[in-house]
Amino acid sequence: ETGVTQSPTHLIKTRGQQVTLRCSSQSGHNTVSWYQQALGQGPQFIFQYYREEENGRGNFPPRFSGLQFPNYSSELNVNALELDDSALYLCASSLLAAQGTDTQYFGPGTRLTVL
Amino acid sequence: GENVEQHPSTLSVQEGDSAVIKCTYSDSASNYFPWYKQELGKRPQLIIDIRSNVGEKKDQRIAVTLNKTAKHFSLHITETQPEDSAVYFCAASLFGNEKLTFGTGTRLTIIP
C-alpha cells in the first residue's frame, strides 16, 4: 500500500451543492495530482499542484479548483455539482525534483455520488 | 494532446497461460509508460513502468516492452494466477510526475 490517504471514502451530494475532497501525500513527495475516474473508464487528469501552485490542468471547467498546503496535502473543490460529476476521485502524489523523474502513487479515492 | 488507445477491452485466459495487453500512444514526446492494476473498489496500483531509454523491462512474471518508433507498448503476464484478475490500465506522460494520460482499461479474467 502507498502512503497516500484520502477523505472521505464516500460522499453523497445533490445537484448544485459544493464538495471538498482531501488528500495527504506520501512522505517525501511534494506534488499532488487529481484524477476523475467515471465508472468503467480510465482516470482523467484534473490538475496538479506543486509548491502550492497549480502546475498543469486538464479539460475540466473552473468550478473544479484546488489547493495545496505547506505540508503538501491538497484539497479538491467542486462547485455547482452536476450529475456527471459522480465518479471516483483519485489523488496521486509524486516527487518533482530537478534531477529526474518520479512515479505517481495513488490514494484509495473518494467515491462521490451526485443525486 | 496525448491520446492512448488500449486493446483488448476484455481478456479471458486459462490459469497458467500468458496474457498480453497492448497500448498505442500519439505524442512522440512521451517518455514514461506505467501500467496500473485496479481491483474492484480499490486504488490503481503501479505494477511496472518503463522509460523511453529502455526497450524492455521485466519483474518476475510481468514484463513490458516499448517500441518508440511505432509508438506502442505492451504488458505481458506469464503463468497467470487467479489473483491476476483485475482491470489493467496503461498510461503515458512526458515524465513520471506529470499528467498521466490513461488508456480505457482491459478487464483481465483468469479462468481456474
Side-chain angles (χ1 to χ4, degrees):
Chain A
E1 293 293 325
T2 70
V4 185
T5 61
Q6 291 185 244
S7 63
T9 53
H10 296 86
L11 205 50
I12 299 175
K13 292 285 188 177
T14 56
R15 274 185 303 172
Q17 285 190 311
Q18 177 266 342
V19 69
T20 297
L21 311 181
R22 295 177 176 84
C23 172
S24 290
S25 60
Q26 185 166 307
S27 177
H29 285 180
N30 57 12
T31 303
V32 173
S33 303
W34 286 91
Y35 293 82
Q36 180 195 66
Q37 187 177 22
L39 204 59
Q41 297 183 21
Q44 298 287 316
F45 177 74
I46 302 174
F47 44 53
Q48 181 183 83
Y49 276 82
Y50 168 65
R51 288 187 174 176
E52 303 176 52
E53 300 271 342
E54 189 178 285
N55 184 43
R57 189 179 183 94
N59 294 325
F60 282 81
R63 59 189 185 85
F64 286 78
S65 63
L67 285 173
Q68 186 181 33
F69 301 99
N71 66 354
Y72 306 120
S73 66
S74 178
E75 285 182 356
L76 164 64
N77 299 290
V78 187
N79 293 322
L81 284 167
E82 301 176 359
L83 296 179
D84 285 350
D85 296 333
S86 294
L88 180 68
Y89 288 85
L90 296 159
C91 75
S93 78
S94 59
L95 175 65
L96 181 58
Q99 68 269 26
T101 63
D102 196 22
T103 301
Q104 294 185 37
Y105 295 93
F106 283 87
T110 295
R111 172 73 61 188
L112 173 64
T113 302
V114 182
L115 302 176
Chain B
E2 176 67 276
N3 182 50
V4 177
E5 294 189 358
Q6 183 172 347
H7 300 280
S9 56
T10 60
L11 180 61
S12 295
V13 301
Q14 290 290 138
E15 182 178 352
D17 286 351
S18 295
V20 180
I21 303 171
K22 298 182 180 181
C23 289
T24 60
Y25 62 98
S26 61
D27 189 348
S28 57
S30 290
N31 283 299
Y32 176 70
F33 308 93
W35 286 88
Y36 287 88
K37 174 184 180 182
Q38 189 173 30
E39 298 175 41
L40 191 61
K42 297 197 172 179
R43 75 184 78 198
Q45 177 188 1
L46 179 75
I47 55 171
I48 196 167
D49 57 9
I50 192 167
R51 301 183 194 274
S52 60
N53 58 345
V54 175
E56 182 174 358
K57 185 176 177 181
K58 205 171 181 180
D59 182 3
Q60 299 182 7
R61 297 186 297 110
I62 295 173
V64 56
T65 58
L66 171 65
N67 184 327
K68 280 226 76 177
T69 304
K71 290 190 281 187
H72 67 71
F73 56 112
S74 300
L75 176 72
H76 304 252
I77 306 174
T78 59
E79 301 172 14
T80 53
Q81 301 168 2
E83 53 264 37
D84 294 330
S85 293
V87 178
Y88 290 81
F89 291 99
C90 62
S93 76
L94 285 178
F95 301 105
N97 48 31
E98 297 192 0
K99 167 189 174 181
L100 288 170
T101 300
F102 283 84
T104 48
T106 296
R107 181 172 297 281
L108 175 63
T109 303
I110 306 303
I111 305 165

